[in-house]
């Protein structure tokens, strides 16, 4: 009985690893949805399991797309050594103004597109 349970657990683990590999391949564009669906079925996944793996693919692709739409914030320029008094204040003001000018464009570009809003992806 224990060895039977162990072999069942091992089989489930192997199938799960194989399904995760299929998910990764699909998200990375190495496998089509049709190929993914056939492979999941061939591995013996139940309809509920298959749905979970399809949901994982969809969620990971949505996350990847969302990350690609959000531009990286500019890095803050370090204060040069040796500045003091008015020069230091002028540098800090200019740096702050530059970052403030960039911030509204960054926020606006991270808003969902009209197409995404129409499709319920906000």
């Amino acid at each position: 009985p224990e060895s039977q349970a162990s072999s069942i657990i091992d089989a489930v683990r192997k199938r799960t690893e194989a399904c995760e590999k299929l998910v990764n391949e699909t998200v990375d564009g190495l496998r089509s949805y049709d190929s993914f669906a056939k492979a999941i079925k061939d591995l013996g996944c139940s309809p509920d399991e298959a749905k979970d793996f399809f949901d994982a693919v969809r969620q990971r692709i949505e996350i990847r797309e969302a990350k690609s739409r959000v531009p990286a914030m500019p890095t803050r320029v370090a204060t040069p050594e040796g500045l003091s008094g008015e020069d230091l204040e002028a540098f800090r003001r200019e740096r702050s103004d530059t970052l403030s000018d960039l911030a509204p464009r960054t926020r606006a570009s991270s808003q969902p597109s009209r197409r995404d809003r129409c499709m319920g992806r906000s």
Side-chain angles (χ1 to χ4, degrees), residues 79-101:
T79 305
E81 290 185 35
L83 289 182
S84 61
E86 280 185 32
D87 292 337
L88 177 61
E89 290 304 314
F91 175 83
R92 288 181 174 163
R93 244 188 334 272
E94 185 176 329
R95 178 179 59 194
S96 178
D97 290 347
T98 300
L99 290 174
S100 294
D101 289 345

mmCIF file with all atom_site columns, all heavy atoms in Angstrom, residues 79-101:
data_model
loop_
_atom_site.group_PDB
_atom_site.id
_atom_site.type_symbol
_atom_site.label_atom_id
_atom_site.label_alt_id
_atom_site.label_comp_id
_atom_site.label_asym_id
_atom_site.label_entity_id
_atom_site.label_seq_id
_atom_site.pdbx_PDB_ins_code
_atom_site.Cartn_x
_atom_site.Cartn_y
_atom_site.Cartn_z
_atom_site.occupancy
_atom_site.B_iso_or_equiv
_atom_site.pdbx_formal_charge
_atom_site.auth_seq_id
_atom_site.auth_comp_id
_atom_site.auth_asym_id
_atom_site.auth_atom_id
_atom_site.pdbx_PDB_model_num
ATOM 1   N N   . THR A 1 79  ? 24.032 62.344 -6.866  1.00 0.00 ? 79  THR A N   1
ATOM 2   C CA  . THR A 1 79  ? 24.596 63.679 -6.674  1.00 0.00 ? 79  THR A CA  1
ATOM 3   C C   . THR A 1 79  ? 26.116 63.603 -6.816  1.00 0.00 ? 79  THR A C   1
ATOM 4   O O   . THR A 1 79  ? 26.758 62.798 -6.147  1.00 0.00 ? 79  THR A O   1
ATOM 5   C CB  . THR A 1 79  ? 24.240 64.220 -5.267  1.00 0.00 ? 79  THR A CB  1
ATOM 6   O OG1 . THR A 1 79  ? 22.818 64.171 -5.116  1.00 0.00 ? 79  THR A OG1 1
ATOM 7   C CG2 . THR A 1 79  ? 24.737 65.643 -5.076  1.00 0.00 ? 79  THR A CG2 1
ATOM 8   N N   . PRO A 1 80  ? 26.668 64.425 -7.694  1.00 0.00 ? 80  PRO A N   1
ATOM 9   C CA  . PRO A 1 80  ? 28.126 64.407 -7.859  1.00 0.00 ? 80  PRO A CA  1
ATOM 10  C C   . PRO A 1 80  ? 28.838 64.829 -6.576  1.00 0.00 ? 80  PRO A C   1
ATOM 11  O O   . PRO A 1 80  ? 28.339 65.678 -5.824  1.00 0.00 ? 80  PRO A O   1
ATOM 12  C CB  . PRO A 1 80  ? 28.388 65.423 -8.968  1.00 0.00 ? 80  PRO A CB  1
ATOM 13  C CG  . PRO A 1 80  ? 27.075 65.668 -9.622  1.00 0.00 ? 80  PRO A CG  1
ATOM 14  C CD  . PRO A 1 80  ? 26.029 65.350 -8.606  1.00 0.00 ? 80  PRO A CD  1
ATOM 15  N N   . GLU A 1 81  ? 29.984 64.252 -6.332  1.00 0.00 ? 81  GLU A N   1
ATOM 16  C CA  . GLU A 1 81  ? 30.770 64.625 -5.147  1.00 0.00 ? 81  GLU A CA  1
ATOM 17  C C   . GLU A 1 81  ? 31.331 66.026 -5.342  1.00 0.00 ? 81  GLU A C   1
ATOM 18  O O   . GLU A 1 81  ? 31.601 66.451 -6.462  1.00 0.00 ? 81  GLU A O   1
ATOM 19  C CB  . GLU A 1 81  ? 31.908 63.626 -4.940  1.00 0.00 ? 81  GLU A CB  1
ATOM 20  C CG  . GLU A 1 81  ? 31.422 62.263 -4.498  1.00 0.00 ? 81  GLU A CG  1
ATOM 21  C CD  . GLU A 1 81  ? 32.581 61.336 -4.193  1.00 0.00 ? 81  GLU A CD  1
ATOM 22  O OE1 . GLU A 1 81  ? 33.612 61.809 -3.689  1.00 0.00 ? 81  GLU A OE1 1
ATOM 23  O OE2 . GLU A 1 81  ? 32.428 60.144 -4.468  1.00 0.00 ? 81  GLU A OE2 1
ATOM 24  N N   . GLY A 1 82  ? 31.466 66.718 -4.259  1.00 0.00 ? 82  GLY A N   1
ATOM 25  C CA  . GLY A 1 82  ? 32.100 68.026 -4.308  1.00 0.00 ? 82  GLY A CA  1
ATOM 26  C C   . GLY A 1 82  ? 31.137 69.191 -4.452  1.00 0.00 ? 82  GLY A C   1
ATOM 27  O O   . GLY A 1 82  ? 31.560 70.338 -4.373  1.00 0.00 ? 82  GLY A O   1
ATOM 28  N N   . LEU A 1 83  ? 29.850 68.929 -4.685  1.00 0.00 ? 83  LEU A N   1
ATOM 29  C CA  . LEU A 1 83  ? 28.887 70.029 -4.781  1.00 0.00 ? 83  LEU A CA  1
ATOM 30  C C   . LEU A 1 83  ? 28.506 70.480 -3.380  1.00 0.00 ? 83  LEU A C   1
ATOM 31  O O   . LEU A 1 83  ? 28.326 69.663 -2.479  1.00 0.00 ? 83  LEU A O   1
ATOM 32  C CB  . LEU A 1 83  ? 27.630 69.594 -5.526  1.00 0.00 ? 83  LEU A CB  1
ATOM 33  C CG  . LEU A 1 83  ? 27.738 69.358 -7.017  1.00 0.00 ? 83  LEU A CG  1
ATOM 34  C CD1 . LEU A 1 83  ? 26.373 68.989 -7.570  1.00 0.00 ? 83  LEU A CD1 1
ATOM 35  C CD2 . LEU A 1 83  ? 28.272 70.578 -7.742  1.00 0.00 ? 83  LEU A CD2 1
ATOM 36  N N   . SER A 1 84  ? 28.352 71.773 -3.249  1.00 0.00 ? 84  SER A N   1
ATOM 37  C CA  . SER A 1 84  ? 27.900 72.290 -1.957  1.00 0.00 ? 84  SER A CA  1
ATOM 38  C C   . SER A 1 84  ? 27.138 73.592 -2.189  1.00 0.00 ? 84  SER A C   1
ATOM 39  O O   . SER A 1 84  ? 27.171 74.163 -3.278  1.00 0.00 ? 84  SER A O   1
ATOM 40  C CB  . SER A 1 84  ? 29.094 72.513 -1.022  1.00 0.00 ? 84  SER A CB  1
ATOM 41  O OG  . SER A 1 84  ? 29.983 73.461 -1.569  1.00 0.00 ? 84  SER A OG  1
ATOM 42  N N   . GLY A 1 85  ? 26.461 74.017 -1.176  1.00 0.00 ? 85  GLY A N   1
ATOM 43  C CA  . GLY A 1 85  ? 25.753 75.293 -1.210  1.00 0.00 ? 85  GLY A CA  1
ATOM 44  C C   . GLY A 1 85  ? 24.771 75.412 -2.360  1.00 0.00 ? 85  GLY A C   1
ATOM 45  O O   . GLY A 1 85  ? 23.948 74.516 -2.597  1.00 0.00 ? 85  GLY A O   1
ATOM 46  N N   . GLU A 1 86  ? 24.872 76.534 -3.098  1.00 0.00 ? 86  GLU A N   1
ATOM 47  C CA  . GLU A 1 86  ? 23.954 76.810 -4.199  1.00 0.00 ? 86  GLU A CA  1
ATOM 48  C C   . GLU A 1 86  ? 24.050 75.784 -5.326  1.00 0.00 ? 86  GLU A C   1
ATOM 49  O O   . GLU A 1 86  ? 23.052 75.421 -5.926  1.00 0.00 ? 86  GLU A O   1
ATOM 50  C CB  . GLU A 1 86  ? 24.228 78.211 -4.774  1.00 0.00 ? 86  GLU A CB  1
ATOM 51  C CG  . GLU A 1 86  ? 23.632 79.337 -3.966  1.00 0.00 ? 86  GLU A CG  1
ATOM 52  C CD  . GLU A 1 86  ? 23.837 80.673 -4.654  1.00 0.00 ? 86  GLU A CD  1
ATOM 53  O OE1 . GLU A 1 86  ? 23.851 80.717 -5.901  1.00 0.00 ? 86  GLU A OE1 1
ATOM 54  O OE2 . GLU A 1 86  ? 23.979 81.672 -3.934  1.00 0.00 ? 86  GLU A OE2 1
ATOM 55  N N   . ASP A 1 87  ? 25.265 75.331 -5.626  1.00 0.00 ? 87  ASP A N   1
ATOM 56  C CA  . ASP A 1 87  ? 25.451 74.337 -6.689  1.00 0.00 ? 87  ASP A CA  1
ATOM 57  C C   . ASP A 1 87  ? 24.723 73.040 -6.354  1.00 0.00 ? 87  ASP A C   1
ATOM 58  O O   . ASP A 1 87  ? 24.090 72.433 -7.216  1.00 0.00 ? 87  ASP A O   1
ATOM 59  C CB  . ASP A 1 87  ? 26.941 74.054 -6.921  1.00 0.00 ? 87  ASP A CB  1
ATOM 60  C CG  . ASP A 1 87  ? 27.677 75.237 -7.525  1.00 0.00 ? 87  ASP A CG  1
ATOM 61  O OD1 . ASP A 1 87  ? 27.010 76.088 -8.164  1.00 0.00 ? 87  ASP A OD1 1
ATOM 62  O OD2 . ASP A 1 87  ? 28.911 75.302 -7.367  1.00 0.00 ? 87  ASP A OD2 1
ATOM 63  N N   . LEU A 1 88  ? 24.804 72.624 -5.092  1.00 0.00 ? 88  LEU A N   1
ATOM 64  C CA  . LEU A 1 88  ? 24.134 71.408 -4.651  1.00 0.00 ? 88  LEU A CA  1
ATOM 65  C C   . LEU A 1 88  ? 22.620 71.559 -4.760  1.00 0.00 ? 88  LEU A C   1
ATOM 66  O O   . LEU A 1 88  ? 21.930 70.688 -5.295  1.00 0.00 ? 88  LEU A O   1
ATOM 67  C CB  . LEU A 1 88  ? 24.532 71.063 -3.216  1.00 0.00 ? 88  LEU A CB  1
ATOM 68  C CG  . LEU A 1 88  ? 23.858 69.853 -2.589  1.00 0.00 ? 88  LEU A CG  1
ATOM 69  C CD1 . LEU A 1 88  ? 24.180 68.590 -3.391  1.00 0.00 ? 88  LEU A CD1 1
ATOM 70  C CD2 . LEU A 1 88  ? 24.301 69.694 -1.149  1.00 0.00 ? 88  LEU A CD2 1
ATOM 71  N N   . GLU A 1 89  ? 22.118 72.686 -4.301  1.00 0.00 ? 89  GLU A N   1
ATOM 72  C CA  . GLU A 1 89  ? 20.668 72.930 -4.364  1.00 0.00 ? 89  GLU A CA  1
ATOM 73  C C   . GLU A 1 89  ? 20.178 73.019 -5.815  1.00 0.00 ? 89  GLU A C   1
ATOM 74  O O   . GLU A 1 89  ? 19.120 72.493 -6.149  1.00 0.00 ? 89  GLU A O   1
ATOM 75  C CB  . GLU A 1 89  ? 20.298 74.205 -3.591  1.00 0.00 ? 89  GLU A CB  1
ATOM 76  C CG  . GLU A 1 89  ? 20.429 74.069 -2.086  1.00 0.00 ? 89  GLU A CG  1
ATOM 77  C CD  . GLU A 1 89  ? 19.606 72.915 -1.539  1.00 0.00 ? 89  GLU A CD  1
ATOM 78  O OE1 . GLU A 1 89  ? 18.426 72.761 -1.911  1.00 0.00 ? 89  GLU A OE1 1
ATOM 79  O OE2 . GLU A 1 89  ? 20.163 72.144 -0.723  1.00 0.00 ? 89  GLU A OE2 1
ATOM 80  N N   . ALA A 1 90  ? 20.950 73.665 -6.668  1.00 0.00 ? 90  ALA A N   1
ATOM 81  C CA  . ALA A 1 90  ? 20.572 73.794 -8.083  1.00 0.00 ? 90  ALA A CA  1
ATOM 82  C C   . ALA A 1 90  ? 20.532 72.412 -8.747  1.00 0.00 ? 90  ALA A C   1
ATOM 83  O O   . ALA A 1 90  ? 19.612 72.109 -9.511  1.00 0.00 ? 90  ALA A O   1
ATOM 84  C CB  . ALA A 1 90  ? 21.545 74.714 -8.816  1.00 0.00 ? 90  ALA A CB  1
ATOM 85  N N   . PHE A 1 91  ? 21.531 71.596 -8.452  1.00 0.00 ? 91  PHE A N   1
ATOM 86  C CA  . PHE A 1 91  ? 21.556 70.248 -9.025  1.00 0.00 ? 91  PHE A CA  1
ATOM 87  C C   . PHE A 1 91  ? 20.329 69.454 -8.572  1.00 0.00 ? 91  PHE A C   1
ATOM 88  O O   . PHE A 1 91  ? 19.653 68.815 -9.377  1.00 0.00 ? 91  PHE A O   1
ATOM 89  C CB  . PHE A 1 91  ? 22.836 69.501 -8.625  1.00 0.00 ? 91  PHE A CB  1
ATOM 90  C CG  . PHE A 1 91  ? 22.852 68.081 -9.093  1.00 0.00 ? 91  PHE A CG  1
ATOM 91  C CD1 . PHE A 1 91  ? 23.241 67.763 -10.387 1.00 0.00 ? 91  PHE A CD1 1
ATOM 92  C CD2 . PHE A 1 91  ? 22.434 67.047 -8.258  1.00 0.00 ? 91  PHE A CD2 1
ATOM 93  C CE1 . PHE A 1 91  ? 23.225 66.459 -10.836 1.00 0.00 ? 91  PHE A CE1 1
ATOM 94  C CE2 . PHE A 1 91  ? 22.409 65.742 -8.690  1.00 0.00 ? 91  PHE A CE2 1
ATOM 95  C CZ  . PHE A 1 91  ? 22.807 65.443 -9.992  1.00 0.00 ? 91  PHE A CZ  1
ATOM 96  N N   . ARG A 1 92  ? 20.041 69.480 -7.289  1.00 0.00 ? 92  ARG A N   1
ATOM 97  C CA  . ARG A 1 92  ? 18.901 68.728 -6.747  1.00 0.00 ? 92  ARG A CA  1
ATOM 98  C C   . ARG A 1 92  ? 17.577 69.223 -7.335  1.00 0.00 ? 92  ARG A C   1
ATOM 99  O O   . ARG A 1 92  ? 16.698 68.429 -7.637  1.00 0.00 ? 92  ARG A O   1
ATOM 100 C CB  . ARG A 1 92  ? 18.876 68.819 -5.221  1.00 0.00 ? 92  ARG A CB  1
ATOM 101 C CG  . ARG A 1 92  ? 19.972 67.998 -4.585  1.00 0.00 ? 92  ARG A CG  1
ATOM 102 C CD  . ARG A 1 92  ? 19.926 68.088 -3.087  1.00 0.00 ? 92  ARG A CD  1
ATOM 103 N NE  . ARG A 1 92  ? 20.904 67.191 -2.489  1.00 0.00 ? 92  ARG A NE  1
ATOM 104 C CZ  . ARG A 1 92  ? 21.314 67.279 -1.244  1.00 0.00 ? 92  ARG A CZ  1
ATOM 105 N NH1 . ARG A 1 92  ? 20.833 68.222 -0.439  1.00 0.00 ? 92  ARG A NH1 1
ATOM 106 N NH2 . ARG A 1 92  ? 22.196 66.422 -0.782  1.00 0.00 ? 92  ARG A NH2 1
ATOM 107 N N   . ARG A 1 93  ? 17.434 70.564 -7.500  1.00 0.00 ? 93  ARG A N   1
ATOM 108 C CA  . ARG A 1 93  ? 16.215 71.125 -8.090  1.00 0.00 ? 93  ARG A CA  1
ATOM 109 C C   . ARG A 1 93  ? 16.047 70.644 -9.532  1.00 0.00 ? 93  ARG A C   1
ATOM 110 O O   . ARG A 1 93  ? 14.970 70.228 -9.939  1.00 0.00 ? 93  ARG A O   1
ATOM 111 C CB  . ARG A 1 93  ? 16.274 72.657 -8.050  1.00 0.00 ? 93  ARG A CB  1
ATOM 112 C CG  . ARG A 1 93  ? 15.234 73.312 -7.196  1.00 0.00 ? 93  ARG A CG  1
ATOM 113 C CD  . ARG A 1 93  ? 15.191 74.831 -7.329  1.00 0.00 ? 93  ARG A CD  1
ATOM 114 N NE  . ARG A 1 93  ? 16.400 75.505 -7.739  1.00 0.00 ? 93  ARG A NE  1
ATOM 115 C CZ  . ARG A 1 93  ? 17.375 75.937 -6.910  1.00 0.00 ? 93  ARG A CZ  1
ATOM 116 N NH1 . ARG A 1 93  ? 17.254 75.765 -5.617  1.00 0.00 ? 93  ARG A NH1 1
ATOM 117 N NH2 . ARG A 1 93  ? 18.441 76.544 -7.375  1.00 0.00 ? 93  ARG A NH2 1
ATOM 118 N N   . GLU A 1 94  ? 17.126 70.717 -10.299 1.00 0.00 ? 94  GLU A N   1
ATOM 119 C CA  . GLU A 1 94  ? 17.069 70.308 -11.704 1.00 0.00 ? 94  GLU A CA  1
ATOM 120 C C   . GLU A 1 94  ? 16.743 68.813 -11.820 1.00 0.00 ? 94  GLU A C   1
ATOM 121 O O   . GLU A 1 94  ? 15.928 68.413 -12.642 1.00 0.00 ? 94  GLU A O   1
ATOM 122 C CB  . GLU A 1 94  ? 18.406 70.603 -12.398 1.00 0.00 ? 94  GLU A CB  1
ATOM 123 C CG  . GLU A 1 94  ? 18.357 70.318 -13.880 1.00 0.00 ? 94  GLU A CG  1
ATOM 124 C CD  . GLU A 1 94  ? 19.649 70.710 -14.581 1.00 0.00 ? 94  GLU A CD  1
ATOM 125 O OE1 . GLU A 1 94  ? 20.313 71.671 -14.151 1.00 0.00 ? 94  GLU A OE1 1
ATOM 126 O OE2 . GLU A 1 94  ? 19.974 70.038 -15.573 1.00 0.00 ? 94  GLU A OE2 1
ATOM 127 N N   . ARG A 1 95  ? 17.367 68.019 -10.978 1.00 0.00 ? 95  ARG A N   1
ATOM 128 C CA  . ARG A 1 95  ? 17.088 66.581 -10.998 1.00 0.00 ? 95  ARG A CA  1
ATOM 129 C C   . ARG A 1 95  ? 15.632 66.314 -10.635 1.00 0.00 ? 95  ARG A C   1
ATOM 130 O O   . ARG A 1 95  ? 14.945 65.527 -11.298 1.00 0.00 ? 95  ARG A O   1
ATOM 131 C CB  . ARG A 1 95  ? 18.022 65.846 -10.025 1.00 0.00 ? 95  ARG A CB  1
ATOM 132 C CG  . ARG A 1 95  ? 17.758 64.352 -9.949  1.00 0.00 ? 95  ARG A CG  1
ATOM 133 C CD  . ARG A 1 95  ? 18.686 63.643 -9.008  1.00 0.00 ? 95  ARG A CD  1
ATOM 134 N NE  . ARG A 1 95  ? 18.562 64.178 -7.662  1.00 0.00 ? 95  ARG A NE  1
ATOM 135 C CZ  . ARG A 1 95  ? 19.436 63.944 -6.675  1.00 0.00 ? 95  ARG A CZ  1
ATOM 136 N NH1 . ARG A 1 95  ? 20.501 63.226 -6.901  1.00 0.00 ? 95  ARG A NH1 1
ATOM 137 N NH2 . ARG A 1 95  ? 19.242 64.461 -5.484  1.00 0.00 ? 95  ARG A NH2 1
ATOM 138 N N   . SER A 1 96  ? 15.129 66.977 -9.634  1.00 0.00 ? 96  SER A N   1
ATOM 139 C CA  . SER A 1 96  ? 13.742 66.803 -9.210  1.00 0.00 ? 96  SER A CA  1
ATOM 140 C C   . SER A 1 96  ? 12.778 67.237 -10.308 1.00 0.00 ? 96  SER A C   1
ATOM 141 O O   . SER A 1 96  ? 11.790 66.548 -10.590 1.00 0.00 ? 96  SER A O   1
ATOM 142 C CB  . SER A 1 96  ? 13.491 67.593 -7.934  1.00 0.00 ? 96  SER A CB  1
ATOM 143 O OG  . SER A 1 96  ? 12.149 67.471 -7.543  1.00 0.00 ? 96  SER A OG  1
ATOM 144 N N   . ASP A 1 97  ? 13.067 68.378 -10.945 1.00 0.00 ? 97  ASP A N   1
ATOM 145 C CA  . ASP A 1 97  ? 12.209 68.862 -12.034 1.00 0.00 ? 97  ASP A CA  1
ATOM 146 C C   . ASP A 1 97  ? 12.200 67.884 -13.204 1.00 0.00 ? 97  ASP A C   1
ATOM 147 O O   . ASP A 1 97  ? 11.148 67.616 -13.797 1.00 0.00 ? 97  ASP A O   1
ATOM 148 C CB  . ASP A 1 97  ? 12.670 70.237 -12.520 1.00 0.00 ? 97  ASP A CB  1
ATOM 149 C CG  . ASP A 1 97  ? 12.415 71.341 -11.502 1.00 0.00 ? 97  ASP A CG  1
ATOM 150 O OD1 . ASP A 1 97  ? 11.664 71.101 -10.531 1.00 0.00 ? 97  ASP A OD1 1
ATOM 151 O OD2 . ASP A 1 97  ? 12.995 72.439 -11.675 1.00 0.00 ? 97  ASP A OD2 1
ATOM 152 N N   . THR A 1 98  ? 13.359 67.338 -13.537 1.00 0.00 ? 98  THR A N   1
ATOM 153 C CA  . THR A 1 98  ? 13.453 66.384 -14.650 1.00 0.00 ? 98  THR A CA  1
ATOM 154 C C   . THR A 1 98  ? 12.621 65.147 -14.357 1.00 0.00 ? 98  THR A C   1
ATOM 155 O O   . THR A 1 98  ? 11.858 64.678 -15.202 1.00 0.00 ? 98  THR A O   1
ATOM 156 C CB  . THR A 1 98  ? 14.921 65.994 -14.902 1.00 0.00 ? 98  THR A CB  1
ATOM 157 O OG1 . THR A 1 98  ? 15.655 67.170 -15.222 1.00 0.00 ? 98  THR A OG1 1
ATOM 158 C CG2 . THR A 1 98  ? 15.032 64.983 -16.030 1.00 0.00 ? 98  THR A CG2 1
ATOM 159 N N   . LEU A 1 99  ? 12.743 64.615 -13.139 1.00 0.00 ? 99  LEU A N   1
ATOM 160 C CA  . LEU A 1 99  ? 11.968 63.417 -12.784 1.00 0.00 ? 99  LEU A CA  1
ATOM 161 C C   . LEU A 1 99  ? 10.476 63.732 -12.734 1.00 0.00 ? 99  LEU A C   1
ATOM 162 O O   . LEU A 1 99  ? 9.656  62.916 -13.137 1.00 0.00 ? 99  LEU A O   1
ATOM 163 C CB  . LEU A 1 99  ? 12.446 62.849 -11.446 1.00 0.00 ? 99  LEU A CB  1
ATOM 164 C CG  . LEU A 1 99  ? 13.825 62.202 -11.474 1.00 0.00 ? 99  LEU A CG  1
ATOM 165 C CD1 . LEU A 1 99  ? 14.260 61.797 -10.062 1.00 0.00 ? 99  LEU A CD1 1
ATOM 166 C CD2 . LEU A 1 99  ? 13.839 60.989 -12.388 1.00 0.00 ? 99  LEU A CD2 1
ATOM 167 N N   . SER A 1 100 ? 10.105 64.922 -12.270 1.00 0.00 ? 100 SER A N   1
ATOM 168 C CA  . SER A 1 100 ? 8.690  65.309 -12.231 1.00 0.00 ? 100 SER A CA  1
ATOM 169 C C   . SER A 1 100 ? 8.108  65.425 -13.632 1.00 0.00 ? 100 SER A C   1
ATOM 170 O O   . SER A 1 100 ? 6.962  65.054 -13.872 1.00 0.00 ? 100 SER A O   1
ATOM 171 C CB  . SER A 1 100 ? 8.518  66.645 -11.508 1.00 0.00 ? 100 SER A CB  1
ATOM 172 O OG  . SER A 1 100 ? 8.863  66.509 -10.160 1.00 0.00 ? 100 SER A OG  1
ATOM 173 N N   . ASP A 1 101 ? 8.915  65.948 -14.563 1.00 0.00 ? 101 ASP A N   1
ATOM 174 C CA  . ASP A 1 101 ? 8.450  66.072 -15.948 1.00 0.00 ? 101 ASP A CA  1
ATOM 175 C C   . ASP A 1 101 ? 8.199  64.706 -16.570 1.00 0.00 ? 101 ASP A C   1
ATOM 176 O O   . ASP A 1 101 ? 7.283  64.537 -17.375 1.00 0.00 ? 101 ASP A O   1
ATOM 177 C CB  . ASP A 1 101 ? 9.475  66.830 -16.807 1.00 0.00 ? 101 ASP A CB  1
ATOM 178 C CG  . ASP A 1 101 ? 9.541  68.312 -16.462 1.00 0.00 ? 101 ASP A CG  1
ATOM 179 O OD1 . ASP A 1 101 ? 8.610  68.806 -15.781 1.00 0.00 ? 101 ASP A OD1 1
ATOM 180 O OD2 . ASP A 1 101 ? 10.523 68.960 -16.867 1.00 0.00 ? 101 ASP A OD2 1
#
